[in-house]
Amino acid sequence: MDNVKELLVILIGSSLVSNVVLSQFLGLCPFLGVSRKVKTAVGMGGAVIFVITLASFVAGVINQFVLIKFKVQYLDTIVFILVIAALVQFVEMFLRKVMPALYEALGVYLPLITTNCAVLGVAINNEQAEYGILTGTVNGFATAVGFTVAIVILAGIREKIAYNDVPKAFQGMPIVLLTAGLMAIAFVGFSGLL
Amino acid sequence: MNKAGERLYNGLVKENPTFVLMLGMCPTLAVTTSAMNGLGMGLTTMVVLSLSNLFISLLRRVIPDRVRIPAFIVVIASFVTVVQLLLEAYLPALNKSLGVYIPLIVVNCIILGRAESYAYSNPPIPSLFDGIGMGLGFSFALTCIGAFRELLGAGKLFGAALMPEGFEPIRIFGQAPGAFFVLAMLVAVQNAVRNRRKKAGKPYEKIGSGCSEDCMNCSDQGCTRRFYDAGAAEKKPVRQPGSTAQGKAPRPVQKQAESGIQRKAPRPVQKQAESGIQGKAPKPVQKPDRAVNGKKERLAQKQTEFEYIDLDKEEK
């Protein structure tokens, strides 16, 4: 029972309380770049959930059975970035061949997250928090869900902003960043949850 | 030495990575809660950037074109690890406050971007100074933003109380939302400058060519690049405007001259490489031409790039 409780705490903590974009600033590029429409935002969110969950699982396995076993934890950055980057590209090829339908839905977004900071960030966070493989994967999944929640909300707001009369200098990125800032304030409210 | 000075000026002012190019926004937002953190992050990045620039430049004739991204990443990640261990040993307080953002220097757009657009096609000494200049520009920008946030958020500067007695700190500037607000103001100023320059007919393309315009460019500059970039696959890296044109062109020609192979008319082999299918054509024949064509194509396809990048426009 204790284990389940711990996983639940991680799930809520990583997805809402310390949201990956709004409080840790990881994965800002896709967050700002692919949030013009809800539809693309959902696609990006799906791809991120898929990649981060997979990558944190693989990074966890490597950490457990290679890095810790041979006592070479200091190589973590090099190993994780190479493995993750190669993994994403491999997944892309694999999906294209084997699951064309899924590739249609997620394929365009996959290269955009090849070496995204969020993916590497989760792997390193998992390692520093000394999470096991299962806990790490759950943490990765939760983090990605947090990203998806944030990007979909932002996209929804941006669709409305498009009809507003924004001062000239604030058109484009600045107004989006202000929106993100207000969202970050809202997400600070979750910190009482745990 | 003149060249070195020009590189330093370029990094600090003309192509300042934060204020002008808007690259590497993740660490810019995350670690600038105080001036000290900003300065620490900036200097750490500078060390990694100049060393990786130097080494990539030294290895530029050894690294094959098609696996250059993984090669760059290995070089950069090694230096990041070295710097991280040094920080752990000698500046544990700074290491603790920067935390996960130290290993994340690996995916900083600025470093991979400079490796790709400058160091890979220029001699070691200018590359080193390019790294130092860019690093100094980054440190300067981060320190400024950090100082601003620390001053408003805590009424201090480098830890020393500076504001008058009655000043009530605006705590939010020290927290996550404040970072977004500060960056929003920064980009708004950039936009204003850009608009003014546009009106006056001055060059403005360089300003905000990174994240502020369309973040997908940033992803192409480095954060999210394809790992194995087959010299002529469908996607090519976007270069930073300006800094590449003169640097990149002479190299393939020179290489050609060295290996004594004359340029041949385009062959079917080349087309095959374009569509991303390799391995079927006899390799020895294909090789010399591919290096040349790959680079030229990449420069030529700069414009067509945006079809791939602009996910939203596609749907309209």
Side-chain angles (χ1 to χ4, degrees):
Chain A
M1 237 16 241
D2 242 19
N3 209 2
V4 177
K5 200 178 152 199
E6 193 203 336
L7 289 184
L8 257 178
V9 168
I10 289 177
L11 205 62
I12 295 173
S14 296
S15 58
L16 297 177
V17 180
S18 57
N19 188 283
V20 63
V21 211
L22 296 172
S23 75
Q24 294 188 62
F25 306 106
L26 300 179
L28 265 183
C29 282
F31 178 67
L32 299 174
V34 203
S35 56
R36 228 169 288 162
K37 282 188 180 150
V38 173
K39 207 182 135 205
T40 47
V42 170
M44 188 69 196
V48 166
I49 291 180
F50 183 73
V51 168
I52 291 191
T53 311
L54 191 65
S56 48
F57 172 73
V58 173
V61 169
I62 287 178
N63 190 32
Q64 196 91 318
F65 295 111
V66 181
L67 295 185
I68 293 181
K69 195 171 173 205
F70 296 107
K71 297 202 173 71
V72 285
Q73 282 109 315
Y74 58 89
L75 286 177
D76 54 353
T77 314
I78 304 179
V79 171
F80 286 164
I81 184 78
L82 285 178
V83 166
I84 289 169
L87 175 81
V88 176
Q89 193 141 24
F90 179 73
V91 164
E92 194 195 343
M93 292 180 205
F94 180 79
L95 283 185
R96 190 186 292 182
K97 270 267 186 281
V98 182
M99 288 181 256
L102 191 60
Y103 180 77
E104 277 296 287
L106 306 181
V108 271
Y109 307 102
L110 283 178
L112 301 178
I113 29 182
T114 311
T115 51
N116 188 316
C117 5
V119 188
L120 183 63
V122 170
I124 290 171
N125 269 339
N126 282 345
E127 193 212 358
Q128 284 179 351
E130 291 178 2
Y131 286 154
I133 296 175
L134 175 68
T135 333
T137 313
V138 170
N139 185 36
F141 174 74
T143 307
V145 168
F147 176 87
T148 311
V149 168
I151 197 175
V152 170
I153 295 177
L154 181 70
I157 299 173
R158 277 184 79 172
E159 282 187 356
K160 296 278 178 267
I161 289 180
Y163 300 108
N164 289 1
D165 187 18
V166 179
K168 204 164 179 225
F170 278 87
Q171 280 168 12
M173 267 312 129
I175 190 74
V176 178
L177 286 167
L178 285 180
T179 315
L182 292 174
M183 279 171 66
I185 293 180
F187 269 74
V188 168
F190 283 119
S191 56
L193 258 183
L194 291 179
Chain B
M1 271 339 269
N2 202 12
K3 182 92 179 162
E6 183 260 321
R7 279 290 101 198
L8 288 180
Y9 175 73
N10 183 60
L12 259 173
V13 182
K14 239 170 78 190
E15 284 188 22
N16 187 297
T18 305
F19 290 146
V20 181
L21 297 178
M22 299 288 291
L23 291 173
M25 281 300 123
C26 299
T28 307
L29 285 177
V31 302
T32 51
T33 46
S34 71
M36 202 56 221
N37 278 356
L39 184 65
M41 184 68 186
L43 291 179
T44 313
T45 311
M46 185 184 90
V47 171
V48 175
L49 178 56
S50 32
L51 286 176
S52 71
N53 254 9
L54 176 68
F55 271 77
I56 286 166
S57 176
L58 285 172
L59 293 172
R60 70 189 190 283
R61 297 197 192 282
V62 185
I63 300 173
D65 206 30
R66 291 171 63 184
V67 289
R68 62 183 193 290
I69 305 291
F72 294 166
I73 290 178
V74 172
V75 172
I76 295 167
S78 313
F79 282 120
V80 169
T81 308
V82 169
V83 168
Q84 189 184 359
L85 292 175
L86 284 175
L87 280 183
E88 253 176 64
Y90 294 105
L91 294 168
L94 184 67
N95 184 53
K96 207 174 167 212
S97 66
L98 295 181
V100 73
Y101 297 99
I102 296 276
L104 285 178
I105 293 176
V106 179
V107 284
N108 191 327
C109 314
I110 301 172
I111 299 185
L112 207 52
R114 289 326 284 178
E116 173 90 346
S117 71
Y118 196 86
Y120 191 49
S121 53
N122 282 288
I125 297 297
S127 296
L128 174 67
F129 278 95
D130 182 74
I132 295 176
M134 279 281 158
L136 281 178
F138 190 58
S139 311
F140 173 69
L142 287 196
T143 314
C144 284
I145 299 174
F148 185 73
R149 283 180 67 186
E150 195 182 352
L151 205 59
L152 287 181
K156 292 175 178 174
L157 195 60
F158 285 105
L162 214 74
M163 288 303 221
E165 197 75 358
F167 175 75
E168 188 67 47
I170 314 165
R171 296 233 180 273
I172 201 147
F173 276 100
Q175 294 164 356
F180 283 109
F181 294 141
V182 171
L183 187 69
M185 292 306 159
L186 200 66
V187 184
V189 171
Q190 268 192 328
N191 273 355
V193 173
R194 205 178 139 95
N195 288 341
R196 190 165 295 173
R197 292 196 75 139
K198 212 178 197 169
K199 225 178 244 170
K202 285 184 194 154
Y204 61 87
E205 289 85 2
K206 252 181 204 166
I207 299 176
S209 62
C211 285
S212 70
E213 257 291 276
D214 181 348
C215 229
M216 289 303 97
N217 286 346
C218 174
S219 63
D220 251 15
Q221 300 266 4
C223 316
T224 55
R225 195 191 298 267
R226 229 170 245 264
F227 183 59
Y228 174 74
D229 177 40
E234 60 268 78
K235 183 170 166 280
K236 274 71 189 189
V238 169
R239 295 274 162 65
Q240 285 168 25
S243 54
T244 59
Q246 358 82 299
K248 205 76 193 176
R251 210 173 87 92
V253 181
Q254 195 187 348
K255 211 173 183 182
Q256 209 180 40
E258 271 171 15
S259 55
I261 299 154
Q262 311 96 322
R263 187 133 162 67
K264 283 169 195 158
R267 289 162 301 171
V269 177
Q270 187 199 346
K271 216 167 191 180
Q272 216 176 31
E274 263 171 24
S275 59
I277 307 157
Q278 293 110 7
K280 276 178 188 165
K283 278 237 164 105
V285 186
Q286 194 188 350
K287 223 176 181 177
D289 243 30
R290 197 195 49 226
V292 177
N293 285 334
K295 275 178 189 169
K296 288 221 169 127
E297 272 161 27
R298 232 181 295 134
L299 288 174
Q301 283 205 359
K302 233 175 177 176
Q303 281 88 12
T304 54
E305 206 79 22
F306 291 94
E307 293 167 15
Y308 173 87
I309 293 159
D310 239 336
L311 294 162
D312 293 315
K313 272 181 192 156
E314 211 174 87
E315 287 181 7
K316 275 170 198 165

